[in-house]
Amino acid sequence: MNEIIYSNLDSVSKNMIDNLNRILPSPSGTQIEVVWLFFKTDNLTALTLDPEMVRERYPVDKYSLTILIPSSDIVMRACADIRQYLMGFTVYEINSPSFTEQNYAFSGPNMAIKLDERLFVFFENKHFISNKMRAMFAEDEQITYRINDNLSVISINNGIIHPLEISETGESENCQFGGVTDSDLHFIPLSATIRTYGRYSHTAAGPRWYVGANPNVQLKEIEFCDEDVVFLGPLSKHYGHFILEGLARLWFYLDSNNSGYKAAYLSEPGMDRFNDVFTFFGIPPENIIRIIKPTAFRTVIVPEQSMRIQSSYHQNYKDTIDRIKQRIPPAGIKKVYFSKEMRHNNRGMGEKIIEDVFVKNGFTIVYPERLSMFDTIAVMKGCETFAASSGTNAHNAIFLNDSATVICLNRSPHLHYVQSMIDRMKNLNSIYVDANVSLLPVNWSVGPFLFGPTRYLISFFNYFKFEYDEQSLYDEFPKYLIEFLKYWGFYYNDDERKGYIEKHEQLVLIDDLISNVVDIFSHMKPNNIR
């Protein structure tokens, strides 16, 4: 039960709140204060709200703020005058079916919801997101990502490490040949890189990356190396997968007794661009072996993964990241926005107009693809407030100091479970903002993504007193909308790519489309429309 502090509430209202407190969810680690913020209630036509008191007394990183409004037609009309301060807050109408259904999801169907004759509307302020996204966050809160059991380590005498090779699937990272086998070519399951995918990815297993030896390999042709090596797994050319999966077995070296072992890894052909990180961790380059042909070793040591994307993490993974950061001095930039504008891959449109607002409000724009690993970590280590769109850019938050502030701009109406894992692991003060204009369904990973002046973004700007020109946001937006529609039509113009979109999202009905448009742009004033 949350302890509630009351401000200016009569006894009837207090009794109602005590009852509602039993069913309303609240984020962990926050204080709850229910406050009567609306004054002059005797004269309902002059209902007012003091937004300065909201911002200054109840910072979003410390409070889950519930605002109560006595419901009536007059009050609801009066609320129209203060909508700009309420955008993006979740609305609960106590006697509505949606409220009952949503709280059943939190509390179970046997929860008795005790209602008063009067009707209240609740606004909960923590993230600036849609009700649909908030429901996903609520479900995610019930998932335990942290593994507390000790991670496994096995040693394979005369073990063989096989390079990555394309198998009959013809695809990279899909049942390729590769990994660790014993001397009889039996695959060692602990050497597999385990992934999960899908909207509810904590339960949906992803495809296997590699499955063992190429059946054409001949034992007599395998070279022997008289060394004991640690298997680091595959190092992806994709930066996000590298920092998550590629560092997942390094924890074995946290024990100083293991520092003398050489390390072996797999990768696709081409330059491995991020391997400097092993030097920062403390493994010299001469002790890193890239496997390019099947090689037998005196012993192959296989540590378990300490990070499985969208599935689980162990404290050893965080300790690995902290060890890497120890050797890198922090840069001096306190407020950083990681941009994708220089990627030029037609996956994200419209982010530039949002970046400009962040720059105007003291953020430094950084293009991570132009930075070395050393500089990237230095920037993150010195950063106090980090902003980025959801996905790989936001995953750089693993290099922030604990309890730093992250502003994650949701690029699509999907929850990125990896980011949620990072939030908890680092105890980050994370603020999520729905900055996506989702008029058409997209794959959560490949896009394309359309950013724009959604009502949630405007609400975020208002709450944190950002300086911005709302009209210019709307004036610039249409050209990005046209660009998005062109690229979406080009990209999903075949059956295979349509399959990238989840089944329940493929059918977009006209009423859903209209609902999305209303939800995104309902905050626009008449003089914003030309």
Side-chain angles (χ1 to χ4, degrees), residues 114 260 276 313 389 421 447:
K114 190 173 181 179
D276 285 353
Y313 72 89
S389 58
M421 292 166 61

Side-chain angles (χ1 to χ4, degrees), residues 14-29:
K14 290 179 182 179
N15 289 335
M16 168 174 268
I17 294 165
D18 282 335
N19 289 329
L20 291 171
N21 185 47
R22 296 184 179 95
I23 59 174
L24 283 176
S26 61
S28 58

Side-chain angles (χ1 to χ4, degrees), residues 40 139 167 181 215 218 249-250 252 300 322 344 354 371 395 410 414 423 437 442 447 456 465 500:
K40 301 182 183 179
E139 178 184 316
S167 66
T181 69
Q218 299 294 318
R249 302 181 198 263
L250 268 182
F252 180 79
V300 177
D322 290 342
H344 303 298
I354 299 175
L371 299 182
H395 299 343
N410 292 327
H414 301 95
D423 289 346
V437 181
V442 297
Y456 309 107
K465 297 184 179 180
Y500 294 168

Side-chain angles (χ1 to χ4, degrees), residues 431-442:
I431 301 165
Y432 288 84
V433 184
D434 279 352
N436 60 87
V437 181
S438 300
L439 302 181
L440 294 170
V442 297

Side-chain angles (χ1 to χ4, degrees), residues 73-94:
D73 290 341
I74 296 176
V75 173
M76 290 301 104
R77 287 198 298 270
C79 282
D81 298 331
I82 56 175
R83 283 188 57 151
Q84 61 179 309
Y85 302 116
L86 304 178
M87 290 174 210
F89 291 26
T90 299
V91 179
Y92 296 108
E93 295 189 18
I94 305 306

Side-chain angles (χ1 to χ4, degrees), residues 447-459:
F449 308 111
L450 176 61
F451 296 89
T454 66
R455 69 189 184 105
Y456 309 107
L457 182 65
I458 297 300
S459 175

